[in-house]
Amino acid sequence: MELGADHIPVAHTPPGGYGEEMPEPVLAGCDEPLVGGAPDLRGLWRVVTVEVDGEDAGADHPAIGHLQRIEQCGDRIVITGGGVVHDMRCDGTETNGVNDVAEFDFQTPITVVATYEDGVHTLRPVGLPIEVTRRLDGETLLWSYLTFTARLERAG
């Protein structure tokens, strides 16, 4: 029997964040194919370089070494990293987007609309004039987040 994205409960960040160890994968066993237009971002990724305003931010930038696990199934994507578990559907709605907490304090509620646009995973926090994107660049992942763009390599 197939296990689709609809059959797996939506995950959320535990109170106070998940701590030092990432929780078990959310979409394990899900065998629904990715929706059309979705880039295959699945894997464990580590930030290896960071650019700010087009310049290398150096090895001491706080994002260096940051790990992200990306899971995908159907139109669903779960990004786990930095203590948070952000589980969303990339359907352009607030209801099915990220409805969780912010990474900076693990308690401020956030609502983020998620889409796939021209092979790019795009996040738009409701009420804020910003975009966060993830896209493949060859064998690496480019993550544009607020004030920087990070290049991530597969960590496992």
Side-chain angles (χ1 to χ4, degrees):
M1 185 170 107
E2 287 190 15
L3 179 63
D6 290 340
H7 299 101
I8 300 169
V10 173
H12 295 279
T13 301
Y18 61 73
E20 295 297 314
E21 263 187 62
M22 282 188 184
E24 291 297 311
V26 174
L27 300 177
C30 189
D31 53 13
E32 184 178 333
L34 299 184
V35 294
D40 189 346
L41 306 175
R42 293 175 286 196
L44 184 63
W45 300 89
R46 181 183 312 277
V47 174
V48 292
T49 62
V50 175
E51 286 186 2
V52 176
D53 297 325
E55 302 279 328
D56 186 341
D60 60 343
H61 189 278
I64 295 291
H66 175 82
L67 279 175
Q68 295 183 359
R69 181 180 64 216
I70 301 178
E71 303 171 71
Q72 291 172 274
C73 182
D75 69 349
R76 197 160 155 193
I77 184 169
V78 180
I79 300 173
T80 303
V84 297
V85 179
H86 288 166
D87 187 345
M88 68 207 87
R89 290 193 178 258
C90 294
D91 65 3
T93 68
E94 289 181 27
T95 301
N96 296 328
V98 177
N99 290 286
D100 203 68
V101 294
E103 183 177 335
F104 71 86
D105 68 357
F106 307 119
Q107 61 183 350
T108 300
I110 60 170
T111 300
V112 183
V113 173
T115 57
Y116 291 125
E117 300 171 19
D118 298 319
V120 178
H121 176 239
T122 303
L123 297 168
R124 293 185 178 90
V126 174
L128 297 174
I130 61 173
E131 282 185 356
V132 174
T133 62
R134 287 177 180 82
R135 67 180 174 87
L136 293 174
D137 182 29
E139 294 295 311
T140 62
L141 177 75
L142 290 180
W143 172 39
S144 294
Y145 183 80
L146 303 178
T147 60
F148 65 82
T149 297
R151 184 170 298 276
L152 294 81
E153 293 180 349
R154 288 190 185 277

